[in-house]
Every structure is written in structure tokens, then in C-alpha cells.
Amino acid sequence: MDNLSSLNVFVRVGEASSFTAAGKQLGVSASAVSKSIGRLEERLGVRLFHRSTRTVSLTPEGLLFLERCRHILSQVESAEAELLQAQGAPRGRLRISVPSVGAMFMSRLAHFKRLYPEIAMDVDCSDRFVDVIEEGFDAVIRTGQLADSRLTARRIGACRKIVIASPDYLKRAGTPRKRADLLKHDCILYRYPQTGKLDMWPWDGVPQELPASAIANTLEPQVCLAEQGAGLAYVPEIAVRQQLRDGRLVTVLDKHVTQELVFYVLWPSSRHLPSKIRVFVDFIAEQLFPL
């Protein structure tokens, strides 16, 4: 058990890149965390972290060990969950990942938390491609099917993508009516975090590469810039419903945009699915859409 405790401390430091932050999560002092890491390094005979007065970062050996430890702790949690499943309500730490558009899902996740108060949610909200197994995630919500035979996928809903702008911007720059008009406009583009490539806007099913007046790798800056009149943005409709209702944003070129985002929940395939994951998957599939 002491070994598992030290592995848990190591994972918290590795994820937070900070002894102080890890200590706050664990309810102990930064000094206690540092001593625990020191004992672990001494036992393993290898340095896991580079330390300076301001930063803590993983060594190559630490990076490798972090992935293994996440998997070990995930397996321990799964084993505990299976034993507890017959004893009452689902419980334990539920580590999930949602795309940046997932901020729109938070009210539903809050409802899930109210239904299952003994489940502690650990939410990663980003557009990076996560390795569900190696990083120890219990479930992830993503667009498009992922080709990983180790995972089980369930379709949970879909939404269309739209081109948006503020009324002030359109008054100043004019409203685009056809595909060629976009070349004369300020376009706020999305950069895929995993590949670094820019998102191309499809018109009538044909992708079009556009000049960028601004680039962001998450959804929120795109929406904010569009609201402030910085240009046109191409975003999921569910992300801007409130802004469309109150008139802060409007859509353009609706007839030419046909792309739809399909959302899936994915989780590690297992003969014995822990109850915390089972209830989460069922809840998300039944209640996430329509938003």
C-alpha cells in the first residue's frame, strides 16, 4: 500500500508539474510530497524529475514511468470499483476528457454529479488527442470514430457547423454571399493541436483554404474574437446558441455549409465494466443531446 501511495503522489506531481499543487490535491505539504518523490527515486535508482527553484519537469525516465503508473492506478481503481459495485451506489474517481466544445456540456455533467455524488469527476477539457489507455482515462467524448481496437464507442449525438460573425463586423465589412467573398474577409481559423494544420472550411462539400486574420487552437478564443468583431469564425452550432439567441452573433452562408460533427463516447473495452463508467456512458448517451 505504501508503494501505491508513492505512485499516486508521483502521478499527481507529474500531471501538475508542481510539488505544491500536488500537495494541495493530496492534502499534504509540498515538503512531504518532495520527500515522497525523493524516497521513490532512491528506491528505483533513477531521477524522475528535473528540479529548479521555479519549475519541476519530468525526465525521459519519468515520462515513461508516468504512463505505466497511470495504467497501474487505473487498474487498481477498476478492481476496487468491481468489488464495491455490489455494495451500493457507483463511486470512485472518474477521469474523463471532453473537447473544448465540451464546456457546453458542463451543466449536464453537473447534473450527473448530483445524481452520483460519490463519483469524483476529474475532467480534462482540451482538443488534444489523448491516449485513453496509456493516460488512464475512464471515458472520453470526441468527434468522429477513433480507430483503436482497445476502445468501445457509442454514438451520442450530432450538431452542424456554422459560419458566424458579429453584426458590427458585417456592417463594417459587408456580408459574404458566395464562396469567393471569403477571400476578402477576416477569417478566424482553428489549428488542430495534434497536427498543427489549419482547419479548412468546406463549402458545398469542397474544402477551402482561407487566409487567416487570427488563429486559435481551442474554441473559446474563436468565439470571443468573433463576438468582438474580429472577423468570421467556423464553429459548432451548439457552442454559440446563446449568442445567436441574443443577437451578439449571426450566421452567414448557411446554404453553403453542410458539415456535421458526430460525437461519440469512448471507453476502454473490458469484460467487467466498472459501475462508475457504465452509469456515465448511459447518462451521456441518453441525456447529452439535444443540448
Side-chain angles (χ1 to χ4, degrees):
M1 293 304 294
D2 287 341
N3 287 343
L4 286 176
S5 177
S6 64
L7 295 185
N8 184 44
V9 172
F10 166 70
V11 169
R12 295 299 180 97
V13 176
E15 292 178 343
S17 297
S18 166
F19 290 148
T20 301
K24 289 180 179 179
Q25 294 176 21
L26 296 165
V28 298
S29 67
S31 175
V33 170
S34 178
K35 290 178 181 178
S36 176
I37 296 298
R39 290 192 296 268
L40 180 61
E41 289 178 325
E42 184 177 355
R43 189 168 76 245
L44 296 175
V46 66
R47 180 171 290 278
L48 299 172
F49 292 98
H50 297 300
R51 300 165 174 82
S52 72
T53 55
R54 294 185 178 181
T55 62
V56 176
S57 61
L58 287 160
T59 64
E61 294 80 8
L63 281 169
L64 178 63
F65 193 52
L66 178 63
E67 300 307 320
R68 298 294 183 267
C69 288
R70 281 171 168 161
H71 183 67
I72 290 169
L73 294 175
S74 176
Q75 291 299 309
V76 171
E77 287 186 359
S78 295
E80 290 177 344
E82 289 178 14
L83 292 175
L84 292 169
Q85 186 169 353
Q87 300 179 22
R91 65 187 69 186
R93 179 177 177 235
L94 182 71
R95 190 160 190 251
I96 62 175
S97 178
V98 300
S100 60
V101 70
M104 308 301 108
F105 306 156
M106 290 308 166
S107 63
R108 302 297 174 92
L109 295 182
H111 180 47
F112 173 81
K113 178 61 180 173
R114 289 192 293 270
L115 291 175
Y116 301 99
E118 295 186 58
I119 294 179
M121 298 180 65
D122 184 344
V123 183
D124 171 86
C125 187
S126 69
D127 289 333
R128 71 183 183 89
F129 178 81
V130 301
D131 189 315
V132 179
I133 304 295
E134 294 300 324
E135 295 187 44
F137 283 99
D138 295 303
V140 301
I141 297 173
R142 284 294 180 266
T143 57
Q145 291 184 338
L146 303 183
D148 190 334
S149 60
R150 302 172 300 170
L151 303 178
T152 301
R154 184 170 173 181
R155 189 181 190 275
I156 56 177
C159 78
R160 67 190 183 105
K161 292 190 71 175
I162 56 176
V163 181
I164 57 166
S166 71
D168 287 343
Y169 172 80
L170 296 178
K171 183 178 180 180
R172 182 177 73 251
T175 300
R177 304 293 182 185
K178 57 185 183 297
R179 181 174 177 172
D181 292 345
L182 292 172
L183 299 176
K184 305 173 186 177
H185 279 268
D186 295 330
C187 296
I188 305 164
L189 303 187
Y190 175 80
R191 187 190 300 280
Y192 291 99
Q194 195 68 21
T195 64
K197 294 182 179 180
L198 295 178
D199 184 28
M200 291 195 296
W201 300 8
W203 307 109
D204 301 315
V206 180
Q208 179 178 11
E209 188 172 354
L210 299 171
S213 66
I215 298 172
N217 64 355
T218 59
L219 177 67
E220 187 176 341
Q222 290 180 279
V223 175
C224 181
L225 287 168
E227 282 190 71
Q228 297 302 313
L232 305 171
Y234 184 51
V235 300
E237 184 265 343
I238 60 173
V240 291
R241 282 183 179 168
Q242 186 57 50
Q243 292 93 326
L244 294 174
R245 291 191 191 103
D246 60 28
R248 282 177 287 161
L249 292 170
V250 297
T251 63
V252 297
L253 295 163
D254 290 341
K255 294 181 179 179
H256 299 277
V257 183
T258 59
Q259 186 180 13
E260 184 179 67
L261 291 178
V262 179
F263 290 85
Y264 291 85
V265 57
L266 303 104
W267 66 95
S269 300
S270 174
R271 290 178 58 190
H272 303 288
L273 188 65
S275 60
K276 64 179 181 180
I277 302 179
R278 176 177 50 78
V279 296
F280 176 76
V281 169
D282 289 343
F283 175 88
I284 290 300
E286 294 168 5
Q287 300 198 33
L288 190 56
F289 283 89
L291 288 171

